[in-house]
PDB file of all heavy atoms in Angstrom:
ATOM      1  N   TYR A  21     109.288  74.447 138.507  1.00 49.00           N
ATOM      2  CA  TYR A  21     107.891  74.875 138.427  1.00 49.00           C
ATOM      3  C   TYR A  21     107.796  76.389 138.352  1.00 49.00           C
ATOM      4  O   TYR A  21     107.059  76.948 137.529  1.00 49.00           O
ATOM      5  CB  TYR A  21     107.125  74.357 139.650  1.00 49.00           C
ATOM      6  CG  TYR A  21     105.695  74.819 139.711  1.00 49.00           C
ATOM      7  CD1 TYR A  21     104.699  74.181 138.954  1.00 49.00           C
ATOM      8  CD2 TYR A  21     105.326  75.899 140.515  1.00 49.00           C
ATOM      9  CE1 TYR A  21     103.390  74.608 138.996  1.00 49.00           C
ATOM     10  CE2 TYR A  21     104.020  76.337 140.552  1.00 49.00           C
ATOM     11  CZ  TYR A  21     103.057  75.683 139.793  1.00 49.00           C
ATOM     12  OH  TYR A  21     101.763  76.112 139.838  1.00 49.00           O
ATOM     13  N   PHE A  22     108.588  77.060 139.213  1.00 49.00           N
ATOM     14  CA  PHE A  22     108.546  78.530 139.245  1.00 49.00           C
ATOM     15  C   PHE A  22     109.044  79.133 137.924  1.00 49.00           C
ATOM     16  O   PHE A  22     108.394  79.996 137.333  1.00 49.00           O
ATOM     17  CB  PHE A  22     109.401  79.046 140.406  1.00 49.00           C
ATOM     18  CG  PHE A  22     109.520  80.543 140.442  1.00 49.00           C
ATOM     19  CD1 PHE A  22     108.473  81.325 140.909  1.00 49.00           C
ATOM     20  CD2 PHE A  22     110.673  81.170 139.988  1.00 49.00           C
ATOM     21  CE1 PHE A  22     108.579  82.711 140.931  1.00 49.00           C
ATOM     22  CE2 PHE A  22     110.779  82.549 140.001  1.00 49.00           C
ATOM     23  CZ  PHE A  22     109.734  83.321 140.485  1.00 49.00           C
ATOM     24  N   LEU A  23     110.199  78.630 137.470  1.00 47.00           N
ATOM     25  CA  LEU A  23     110.761  79.164 136.228  1.00 47.00           C
ATOM     26  C   LEU A  23     109.880  78.838 135.032  1.00 47.00           C
ATOM     27  O   LEU A  23     109.727  79.651 134.115  1.00 47.00           O
ATOM     28  CB  LEU A  23     112.170  78.609 136.003  1.00 47.00           C
ATOM     29  CG  LEU A  23     113.229  79.112 136.994  1.00 47.00           C
ATOM     30  CD1 LEU A  23     114.555  78.381 136.761  1.00 47.00           C
ATOM     31  CD2 LEU A  23     113.431  80.612 136.870  1.00 47.00           C
ATOM     32  N   GLY A  24     109.311  77.635 135.048  1.00 55.00           N
ATOM     33  CA  GLY A  24     108.408  77.265 133.962  1.00 55.00           C
ATOM     34  C   GLY A  24     107.217  78.200 133.894  1.00 55.00           C
ATOM     35  O   GLY A  24     106.784  78.611 132.821  1.00 55.00           O
ATOM     36  N   GLY A  25     106.690  78.559 135.076  1.00 52.00           N
ATOM     37  CA  GLY A  25     105.582  79.502 135.119  1.00 52.00           C
ATOM     38  C   GLY A  25     105.979  80.867 134.616  1.00 52.00           C
ATOM     39  O   GLY A  25     105.237  81.526 133.891  1.00 52.00           O
ATOM     40  N   GLN A  26     107.201  81.289 135.029  1.00 46.00           N
ATOM     41  CA  GLN A  26     107.681  82.590 134.588  1.00 46.00           C
ATOM     42  C   GLN A  26     107.839  82.630 133.073  1.00 46.00           C
ATOM     43  O   GLN A  26     107.406  83.564 132.412  1.00 46.00           O
ATOM     44  CB  GLN A  26     109.040  82.894 135.250  1.00 46.00           C
ATOM     45  CG  GLN A  26     108.938  83.249 136.720  1.00 46.00           C
ATOM     46  CD  GLN A  26     108.220  84.570 136.915  1.00 46.00           C
ATOM     47  OE1 GLN A  26     107.033  84.597 137.232  1.00 46.00           O
ATOM     48  NE2 GLN A  26     108.914  85.671 136.685  1.00 46.00           N
ATOM     49  N   PHE A  27     108.497  81.599 132.514  1.00 45.00           N
ATOM     50  CA  PHE A  27     108.686  81.550 131.065  1.00 45.00           C
ATOM     51  C   PHE A  27     107.355  81.489 130.342  1.00 45.00           C
ATOM     52  O   PHE A  27     107.160  82.100 129.300  1.00 45.00           O
ATOM     53  CB  PHE A  27     109.560  80.359 130.683  1.00 45.00           C
ATOM     54  CG  PHE A  27     111.008  80.540 131.048  1.00 45.00           C
ATOM     55  CD1 PHE A  27     111.719  79.513 131.654  1.00 45.00           C
ATOM     56  CD2 PHE A  27     111.654  81.740 130.797  1.00 45.00           C
ATOM     57  CE1 PHE A  27     113.062  79.700 131.985  1.00 45.00           C
ATOM     58  CE2 PHE A  27     112.988  81.927 131.122  1.00 45.00           C
ATOM     59  CZ  PHE A  27     113.701  80.896 131.729  1.00 45.00           C
ATOM     60  N   SER A  28     106.407  80.726 130.926  1.00 48.00           N
ATOM     61  CA  SER A  28     105.100  80.605 130.297  1.00 48.00           C
ATOM     62  C   SER A  28     104.389  81.956 130.276  1.00 48.00           C
ATOM     63  O   SER A  28     103.796  82.344 129.268  1.00 48.00           O
ATOM     64  CB  SER A  28     104.250  79.578 131.053  1.00 48.00           C
ATOM     65  OG  SER A  28     102.968  79.497 130.496  1.00 48.00           O
ATOM     66  N   ASN A  29     104.456  82.685 131.408  1.00 49.00           N
ATOM     67  CA  ASN A  29     103.828  84.009 131.468  1.00 49.00           C
ATOM     68  C   ASN A  29     104.494  84.976 130.504  1.00 49.00           C
ATOM     69  O   ASN A  29     103.834  85.772 129.840  1.00 49.00           O
ATOM     70  CB  ASN A  29     103.908  84.564 132.897  1.00 49.00           C
ATOM     71  CG  ASN A  29     102.953  83.846 133.840  1.00 49.00           C
ATOM     72  OD1 ASN A  29     101.960  83.283 133.404  1.00 49.00           O
ATOM     73  ND2 ASN A  29     103.272  83.856 135.132  1.00 49.00           N
ATOM     74  N   ASN A  30     105.857  84.895 130.446  1.00 48.00           N
ATOM     75  CA  ASN A  30     106.580  85.778 129.524  1.00 48.00           C
ATOM     76  C   ASN A  30     106.196  85.501 128.081  1.00 48.00           C
ATOM     77  O   ASN A  30     106.028  86.417 127.279  1.00 48.00           O
ATOM     78  CB  ASN A  30     108.095  85.616 129.700  1.00 48.00           C
ATOM     79  CG  ASN A  30     108.582  86.238 131.001  1.00 48.00           C
ATOM     80  OD1 ASN A  30     107.900  87.071 131.591  1.00 48.00           O
ATOM     81  ND2 ASN A  30     109.753  85.813 131.451  1.00 48.00           N
ATOM     82  N   LYS A  31     106.075  84.214 127.758  1.00 51.00           N
ATOM     83  CA  LYS A  31     105.695  83.853 126.397  1.00 51.00           C
ATOM     84  C   LYS A  31     104.288  84.355 126.071  1.00 51.00           C
ATOM     85  O   LYS A  31     104.015  84.804 124.962  1.00 51.00           O
ATOM     86  CB  LYS A  31     105.773  82.338 126.222  1.00 51.00           C
ATOM     87  CG  LYS A  31     107.195  81.793 126.145  1.00 51.00           C
ATOM     88  CD  LYS A  31     107.199  80.292 125.944  1.00 51.00           C
ATOM     89  CE  LYS A  31     108.625  79.757 125.834  1.00 51.00           C
ATOM     90  NZ  LYS A  31     108.645  78.290 125.666  1.00 51.00           N
ATOM     91  N   LYS A  32     103.400  84.279 127.085  1.00 47.00           N
ATOM     92  CA  LYS A  32     102.037  84.750 126.877  1.00 47.00           C
ATOM     93  C   LYS A  32     102.026  86.238 126.599  1.00 47.00           C
ATOM     94  O   LYS A  32     101.334  86.718 125.685  1.00 47.00           O
ATOM     95  CB  LYS A  32     101.185  84.436 128.104  1.00 47.00           C
ATOM     96  CG  LYS A  32      99.724  84.835 127.943  1.00 47.00           C
ATOM     97  CD  LYS A  32      98.925  84.449 129.173  1.00 47.00           C
ATOM     98  CE  LYS A  32      97.457  84.860 129.000  1.00 47.00           C
ATOM     99  NZ  LYS A  32      96.654  84.491 130.200  1.00 47.00           N
ATOM    100  N   VAL A  33     102.819  87.002 127.364  1.00 48.00           N
ATOM    101  CA  VAL A  33     102.905  88.446 127.157  1.00 48.00           C
ATOM    102  C   VAL A  33     103.485  88.744 125.783  1.00 48.00           C
ATOM    103  O   VAL A  33     103.012  89.622 125.058  1.00 48.00           O
ATOM    104  CB  VAL A  33     103.771  89.102 128.259  1.00 48.00           C
ATOM    105  CG1 VAL A  33     104.045  90.569 127.914  1.00 48.00           C
ATOM    106  CG2 VAL A  33     103.066  89.003 129.607  1.00 48.00           C
ATOM    107  N   ASP A  34     104.549  87.983 125.412  1.00 55.00           N
ATOM    108  CA  ASP A  34     105.162  88.192 124.099  1.00 55.00           C
ATOM    109  C   ASP A  34     104.177  87.907 122.978  1.00 55.00           C
ATOM    110  O   ASP A  34     104.137  88.627 121.975  1.00 55.00           O
ATOM    111  CB  ASP A  34     106.398  87.297 123.943  1.00 55.00           C
ATOM    112  CG  ASP A  34     107.550  87.757 124.823  1.00 55.00           C
ATOM    113  OD1 ASP A  34     107.513  88.927 125.265  1.00 55.00           O
ATOM    114  OD2 ASP A  34     108.469  86.956 125.055  1.00 55.00           O
ATOM    115  N   ARG A  35     103.389  86.857 123.157  1.00 59.00           N
ATOM    116  CA  ARG A  35     102.408  86.510 122.120  1.00 59.00           C
ATOM    117  C   ARG A  35     101.367  87.615 121.976  1.00 59.00           C
ATOM    118  O   ARG A  35     100.979  87.977 120.865  1.00 59.00           O
ATOM    119  CB  ARG A  35     101.729  85.180 122.450  1.00 59.00           C
ATOM    120  CG  ARG A  35     102.589  83.946 122.198  1.00 59.00           C
ATOM    121  CD  ARG A  35     101.736  82.683 122.150  1.00 59.00           C
ATOM    122  NE  ARG A  35     100.999  82.476 123.384  1.00 59.00           N
ATOM    123  CZ  ARG A  35     101.464  81.803 124.426  1.00 59.00           C
ATOM    124  NH1 ARG A  35     102.687  81.283 124.387  1.00 59.00           N
ATOM    125  NH2 ARG A  35     100.741  81.653 125.516  1.00 59.00           N
ATOM    126  N   LEU A  36     100.904  88.164 123.102  1.00 61.00           N
ATOM    127  CA  LEU A  36      99.928  89.247 123.051  1.00 61.00           C
ATOM    128  C   LEU A  36     100.523  90.491 122.399  1.00 61.00           C
ATOM    129  O   LEU A  36      99.860  91.182 121.636  1.00 61.00           O
ATOM    130  CB  LEU A  36      99.436  89.582 124.463  1.00 61.00           C
ATOM    131  CG  LEU A  36      98.454  88.584 125.094  1.00 61.00           C
ATOM    132  CD1 LEU A  36      98.164  88.969 126.535  1.00 61.00           C
ATOM    133  CD2 LEU A  36      97.156  88.545 124.286  1.00 61.00           C
ATOM    134  N   ALA A  37     101.802  90.748 122.719  1.00 64.00           N
ATOM    135  CA  ALA A  37     102.449  91.933 122.163  1.00 64.00           C
ATOM    136  C   ALA A  37     102.578  91.843 120.649  1.00 64.00           C
ATOM    137  O   ALA A  37     102.606  92.866 119.964  1.00 64.00           O
ATOM    138  CB  ALA A  37     103.828  92.122 122.793  1.00 64.00           C
ATOM    139  N   MET A  38     102.656  90.639 120.126  1.00 76.00           N
ATOM    140  CA  MET A  38     102.806  90.444 118.678  1.00 76.00           C
ATOM    141  C   MET A  38     101.469  90.212 117.983  1.00 76.00           C
ATOM    142  O   MET A  38     101.404  90.152 116.767  1.00 76.00           O
ATOM    143  CB  MET A  38     103.727  89.253 118.407  1.00 76.00           C
ATOM    144  CG  MET A  38     105.167  89.452 118.872  1.00 76.00           C
ATOM    145  SD  MET A  38     105.942  90.873 118.068  1.00 76.00           S
ATOM    146  CE  MET A  38     105.994  90.290 116.375  1.00 76.00           C
ATOM    147  N   GLU A  39     100.388  90.112 118.735  1.00 89.00           N
ATOM    148  CA  GLU A  39      99.079  89.822 118.135  1.00 89.00           C
ATOM    149  C   GLU A  39      98.553  91.055 117.395  1.00 89.00           C
ATOM    150  O   GLU A  39      98.443  92.145 117.974  1.00 89.00           O
ATOM    151  CB  GLU A  39      98.086  89.419 119.225  1.00 89.00           C
ATOM    152  CG  GLU A  39      96.708  89.049 118.683  1.00 89.00           C
ATOM    153  CD  GLU A  39      95.749  88.669 119.799  1.00 89.00           C
ATOM    154  OE1 GLU A  39      96.219  88.278 120.888  1.00 89.00           O
ATOM    155  OE2 GLU A  39      94.526  88.788 119.572  1.00 89.00           O
TER     156      GLU A  39
END
Side-chain angles (χ1 to χ4, degrees):
Y21 176 81
F22 175 77
L23 291 174
Q26 286 293 100
F27 287 135
S28 177
N29 287 336
N30 288 341
K31 287 181 179 179
K32 183 178 180 180
V33 171
D34 289 342
R35 285 197 301 271
L36 285 174
M38 295 300 294
E39 182 181 337

